Amino acid sequence: MKIHFTDLAAAKTKQDAVLVFPVAEDKKLPSLAQAIDKQSGGALSRALSSGRFSGKPGQHAVIVMPEGIKSDRVVLAGIGSGDKLNPLAQENLGGALVPVLNGSGAKSITFVLDDIKGLKTSLPEAAARIGHGAYLRSYHFDKYHTKKKPEDKPTLASFTVALENAKE
């Protein structure tokens, strides 16, 4: 799996099958997610208000987008509170997404990392840790697993983290 970093402006125009947004326990959507929510007629807000998703670390809500939205699916990834999102939790956030997205058959995703309230590390460092966690979790040893079914094989080939000033 390849890890990429791109500017947030490029992510707003890029057509990707899956977009991932971090959501804290206050359930406040980042700005780009709010725009997608408005375009989709409130699909993300409905997903936040129904079900068991509360924004806790390790929770994910996968929402299938209606026609006309630039992405097929949106994943809301729970982060807890921003002040508890330490470097290890950032790597766990990236790593926890890999099996969720491989299970759904996604080939490429864009993790949109906007300003997180209470985050103690810089956004570029958090982006690197999220990408590193995803890279570590994507490792699979299949040299001797020749009888693996196609649906059991990993599909995720590209993991992009979008943030302001991605060159850092």
Side-chain angles (χ1 to χ4, degrees):
M1 179 173 70
K2 301 284 184 186
I3 307 293
H4 306 281
F5 300 95
T6 187
D7 282 323
L8 197 54
K12 290 179 181 178
T13 60
K14 182 181 175 188
Q15 178 80 19
D16 209 342
V18 180
L19 290 174
V20 179
F21 296 101
V23 177
E25 289 177 339
D26 63 0
K27 295 185 180 182
K28 187 174 185 246
L29 293 171
S31 59
L32 182 57
Q34 289 175 1
I36 291 173
D37 187 40
K38 189 175 180 182
Q39 289 176 345
S40 67
L44 301 181
S45 298
R46 284 192 304 276
L48 286 175
S49 63
S50 65
R52 293 186 176 181
F53 182 81
S54 63
K56 291 182 180 176
Q59 289 185 330
H60 299 95
V62 180
I63 301 110
V64 177
M65 292 285 100
E67 285 292 320
I69 306 299
K70 72 178 207 168
S71 99
D72 296 335
R73 283 172 281 173
V74 170
V75 177
L76 304 176
I79 61 170
S81 62
D83 58 342
K84 293 182 182 175
L85 196 62
N86 60 26
L88 179 61
Q90 294 164 8
E91 289 182 0
N92 288 338
L93 175 63
L97 286 168
V98 173
V100 170
L101 297 166
N102 272 332
S104 67
K107 292 184 171 105
S108 70
I109 69 145
T110 299
F111 188 101
V112 180
L113 186 61
D114 212 346
D115 190 30
I116 297 175
K117 192 166 99 175
L119 186 66
K120 294 180 181 165
T121 59
S122 67
L123 280 182
E125 181 183 347
R129 292 189 180 278
I130 290 167
H132 184 247
Y135 180 74
L136 289 175
R137 186 70 185 260
S138 70
Y139 175 79
H140 61 280
F141 181 79
D142 60 354
K143 183 175 181 179
Y144 301 108
H145 295 252
T146 57
K147 295 181 182 176
K148 224 178 218 188
K149 297 176 186 170
E151 63 267 10
D152 294 335
K153 293 182 181 180
T155 58
L156 198 57
S158 173
F159 189 101
T160 304
V161 182
L163 70 152
E164 287 293 330
N165 201 4
K167 289 184 180 182
E168 284 186 34

